Amino acid sequence: MQSSKTVSYIDEHRFFWFKINRPDKRNAVDYDVMNELEQALKEVKRNTAIRAFIITGTGEHSFCSGGDLSVFHALHTKEDAYAMLSKMGAILYSLMTLPVPTYALINGTAIGGGCEIASACDQRWALPHAKLGFVQGKLGITTGWGGASMLFEKIPSPQALQMLNSATIYPAEEAETLGFVQKIVPAIETRALHESLVQSSGVLRSYKQALVSKWEQTNLKERMLAEIEQCAYLWEQDEHHSAVERFLQSKKK
């Protein structure tokens, strides 16, 4: 069941829109958002008339700030962390291998897990004021939802490692130079999306399946799970918990 934390609908172009609707939390992901995204992806997979899947955030400031630390800070052990991380990792693998073209419309800041969600999409279009970064390293962990494995499939390894290792937040133009963003658009509107795709959902799904077959043959799912296990190990270390505590305290000031 859809809650007020997300908004989803199919528009007149047969595009399925999924919007994270937690602007007061910078559109952070909690378990409700996870479950609703999972259900949305199942509907897209089932409904063969849908031509594309688009994910974005509500408001003008945040695409997605990643996992909701106020919720997930309660997870302390490797086992607890792995349960949450692997759940979202499986959802993002479903997004990565969704049988239609997928777009992340980055309407504002996308950091941490927000960049992992964007990495799972075929195209990343950003508004001019958007900022993007894999900041997990500043919290003593790595990408926890399989984001590094997906990023290595989307942009050249040197640029991917630069984004991951530096934990830098990039303006949209620099993210475009790195190849992470494909297009900078002045506003969120459907005409450019509609014009970038042929009408036939059958054609679109056939081309996507050719790409998915490559990822299946190179064991992307297994690589993502190995990455998630490594993050779960780092998650239970004191370095991570101390960094999160400092972050949460800074938000209270």
Side-chain angles (χ1 to χ4, degrees):
M1 179 180 292
Q2 183 170 292
S3 73
S4 60
K5 294 179 181 179
T6 68
V7 177
S8 60
Y9 59 91
I10 301 171
D11 71 12
E12 69 274 18
H13 300 298
R14 290 179 283 134
F15 295 164
F16 190 107
W17 289 77
F18 184 90
K19 298 181 179 183
I20 304 173
N21 184 37
R22 304 184 74 206
D24 58 319
K25 297 286 188 179
R26 298 187 303 152
N27 292 328
V29 172
D30 64 4
Y31 290 110
D32 290 332
V33 174
M34 284 187 190
N35 292 332
E36 288 156 28
L37 178 56
E38 184 176 33
Q39 291 306 309
L41 296 175
K42 287 178 179 177
E43 182 179 344
V44 174
K45 197 170 184 179
R46 177 190 58 78
N47 186 344
T48 57
I50 292 172
R51 294 170 62 220
F53 177 84
I54 301 155
I55 186 166
T56 190
T58 59
E60 300 177 353
H61 302 294
S62 294
F63 169 74
C64 175
S65 59
D68 188 338
L69 293 179
S70 65
V71 175
F72 299 142
H73 188 39
L75 306 175
H76 283 277
T77 68
K78 175 182 175 182
E79 291 74 22
D80 288 345
Y82 184 80
M84 181 276 288
L85 297 171
S86 60
K87 175 181 173 68
M88 189 60 176
I91 293 168
L92 291 192
Y93 181 77
S94 295
L95 173 56
M96 181 89 165
T97 58
L98 203 65
V100 297
T102 55
Y103 293 79
L105 291 190
I106 303 170
N107 58 305
T109 302
I111 57 171
C115 275
E116 297 192 64
I117 292 172
S119 296
C121 295
D122 302 323
Q123 294 269 316
R124 286 157 295 283
W125 291 13
L127 267 59
H129 69 277
K131 296 180 180 180
L132 313 94
F134 292 87
V135 298
Q136 289 91 332
K138 293 179 179 177
L139 293 174
I141 56 172
T142 53
T143 43
W145 297 339
S149 299
M150 294 186 290
L151 183 64
F152 286 130
E153 295 293 329
K154 302 300 175 72
I155 66 175
S157 297
Q159 287 90 321
L161 278 173
Q162 177 185 333
M163 293 187 76
L164 295 166
N165 287 339
S166 68
T168 297
I169 298 175
Y170 298 93
E173 284 189 4
E174 196 168 349
E176 185 180 33
T177 300
L178 288 166
F180 187 69
V181 168
Q182 279 66 57
K183 192 171 186 177
I184 297 177
V185 293
I188 299 294
E189 55 91 30
T190 59
R191 185 171 60 85
L193 289 165
H194 175 61
E195 292 175 351
S196 72
L197 298 170
V198 298
Q199 284 288 330
S200 171
S201 60
V203 168
L204 296 171
R205 287 174 180 253
S206 294
Y207 282 134
K208 184 61 179 284
Q209 183 53 50
L211 184 55
V212 171
S213 294
K214 172 199 168 189
W215 290 330
E216 290 172 345
Q217 291 166 14
T218 57
N219 300 315
L220 174 61
K221 190 172 188 178
E222 289 75 14
R223 287 185 279 135
M224 288 175 65
L225 285 172
E227 178 187 342
I228 290 166
E229 273 195 40
Q230 179 61 26
C231 181
Y233 168 76
L234 293 171
W235 188 286
E236 74 174 0
Q237 306 303 309
D238 290 341
E239 180 184 3
H240 170 61
H241 292 299
S242 297
V244 172
E245 190 62 45
R246 288 193 299 271
F247 174 82
L248 293 175
Q249 289 299 321
S250 70
K251 292 300 175 184
K252 294 178 181 178
K253 294 178 182 179

